[in-house]
């Protein structure tokens, strides 16, 4: 019996020791660090479909047809959505192509027409405010490469473009969200690398019509044209009076 009691006491003591050791481990174990949530990735820029954009925002049908026929549209589309630099495109309206008489685009080769289309884009995104910095530098190369550059001028917020042959302005912003900017211009941009440097001079503005000056009044307030008539009338009156005086004097002499 004593041995059974001792074994029972030993088992109870062992259980108490194990329980106390387990509790001590729970108390001594440091708290698990809190896990910070992973930030959500930044949303990717929206895909810009240049075909839909130019079709809806136009009328830019002529320019879009040239982009499609020369495969330049694929170049612009890839640059707009698959590069960090982005793209800036200057699009002339259909009226700008219709009013272009000299030089004509009908005599251009397919390669020249392709270069002309590439000449209407810059290989980087530019907002309207960015053009002020561009105006302080030199010519800016276009997508057409070396020798195809544009000069920019900021005139009180109005962006002016000069290609040598073409002097025009940005008339409106069609689309401008980094990395794609599309701006409307009033004229087709013609590069010197295609059309040469024999640029016709800009016609001078027509002179204002000259209004003939009115006849200056004479000193006594009468017009110069009326003076001869009055002077001739005075001479005639004095001639009549002199004849009457001579007649009267002659009659008095006869009576005397």
């Amino acid at each position: 019996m004593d041995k059974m009691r001792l074994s029972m006491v030993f088992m109870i003591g062992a259980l108490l020791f194990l329980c106390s050791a387990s509790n001590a481990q729970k108390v001594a174990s440091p708290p698990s660090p809190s896990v910070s949530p992973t930030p959500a990735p930044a949303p990717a820029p929206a895909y810009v479909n240049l075909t839909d954009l130019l079709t809806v925002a136009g009328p830019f049908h002529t320019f879009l047809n040239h982009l499609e026929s020369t495969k330049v549209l694929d170049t612009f589309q890839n640059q707009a959505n698959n590069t960090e630099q982005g793209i800036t495109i200057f699009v002339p309206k259909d009226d700008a192509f219709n009013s272009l008489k000299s030089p004509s685009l009908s005599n251009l080769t397919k390669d020249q027409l392709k270069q002309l289309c590439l000449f209407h884009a810059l290989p980087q995104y530019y907002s309207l405010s960015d053009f002020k910095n561009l105006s302080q530098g030199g010519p800016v190369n276009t997508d057409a490469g070396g020798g195809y550059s544009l000069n920019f001028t900021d005139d009180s917020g109005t962006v002016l473009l000069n290609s040598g042959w073409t002097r025009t302005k940005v008339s409106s912003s069609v689309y401008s969200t980094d990395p794609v900017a599309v701006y409307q211009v009033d004229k087709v941009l013609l590069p010197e690398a295609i059309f040469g440097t024999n640029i016709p001079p800009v016609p001078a503005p027509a002179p204002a019509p000259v209004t003939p000056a009115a006849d200056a009044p004479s000193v006594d307030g009468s017009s110069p044209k009326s003076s001869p008539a009055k002077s001739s009338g005075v001479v005639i009156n004095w001639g009549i009076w002199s004849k009457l005086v001579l007649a009267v004097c002659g009659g008095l002499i006869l009576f005397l």
Side-chain angles (χ1 to χ4, degrees):
M1 291 295 293
D2 293 337
K3 291 182 179 181
M4 292 181 62
R5 289 178 180 177
L6 289 174
S7 60
M8 289 292 294
V9 172
F10 178 78
M11 292 178 62
I12 293 172
L15 291 174
L16 292 175
F17 176 79
L18 292 174
C19 291
S20 61
S22 177
N23 291 333
Q25 288 181 357
K26 292 181 179 181
V27 173
S29 61
S32 59
S34 59
V35 179
S36 58
T38 304
Y47 181 85
V48 178
N49 189 314
L50 294 177
T51 301
D52 293 344
L53 180 63
L54 296 180
T55 301
V56 175
F60 303 125
H61 303 298
T62 304
F63 184 65
L64 181 58
N65 290 337
H66 289 321
L67 294 181
E68 292 175 341
S69 65
T70 58
K71 307 298 181 182
V72 172
L73 182 63
D74 297 335
T75 302
F76 286 176
Q77 194 71 68
N78 177 69
Q79 193 171 336
N81 296 291
N82 299 322
T83 64
E84 295 181 358
Q85 292 80 10
I87 190 172
T88 300
I89 307 174
F90 303 102
V91 290
K93 293 180 67 174
D94 292 342
D95 293 342
F97 285 94
N98 296 334
S99 62
L100 186 62
K101 304 301 180 182
S102 179
S104 174
L105 304 184
S106 59
N107 297 327
L108 297 182
T109 65
K110 186 174 182 179
D111 185 65
Q112 287 175 330
L113 184 59
K114 179 179 179 179
Q115 292 299 103
L116 177 74
C117 293
L118 291 170
F119 187 61
H120 285 72
L122 304 179
Q124 186 176 337
Y125 167 80
Y126 291 101
S127 64
L128 286 175
S129 59
D130 292 333
F131 288 107
K132 186 173 184 179
N133 296 329
L134 290 182
S135 65
Q136 299 172 357
V140 180
N141 289 332
T142 65
D143 269 8
Y148 293 84
S149 58
L150 289 170
N151 289 285
F152 293 89
T153 305
D154 183 271
D155 185 11
S156 301
T158 301
V159 180
L160 306 178
L161 297 83
N162 187 352
S163 71
W165 279 86
T166 305
R167 293 175 177 84
T168 186
K169 66 178 181 179
V170 172
S171 54
S172 66
S173 175
V174 179
Y175 181 91
S176 182
T177 302
D178 193 2
V180 180
V182 179
Y183 301 113
Q184 177 184 312
V185 291
D186 293 336
K187 298 180 181 179
V188 180
L189 303 180
L190 305 177
E192 294 183 12
I194 294 178
F195 298 97
T197 56
N198 189 19
I199 303 170
V202 179
V210 179
T211 304
D215 295 331
S218 61
V219 176
D220 59 356
S222 61
S223 62
K225 294 181 180 180
S226 61
S227 298
K230 286 188 177 181
S231 60
S232 61
V234 171
V235 172
I236 294 174
N237 292 338
W238 275 110
I240 295 173
W241 280 106
S242 61
K243 290 179 180 180
L244 290 175
V245 170
L246 291 175
V248 171
C249 292
L252 291 174
I253 293 173
L254 291 175
F255 284 109
L256 293 175

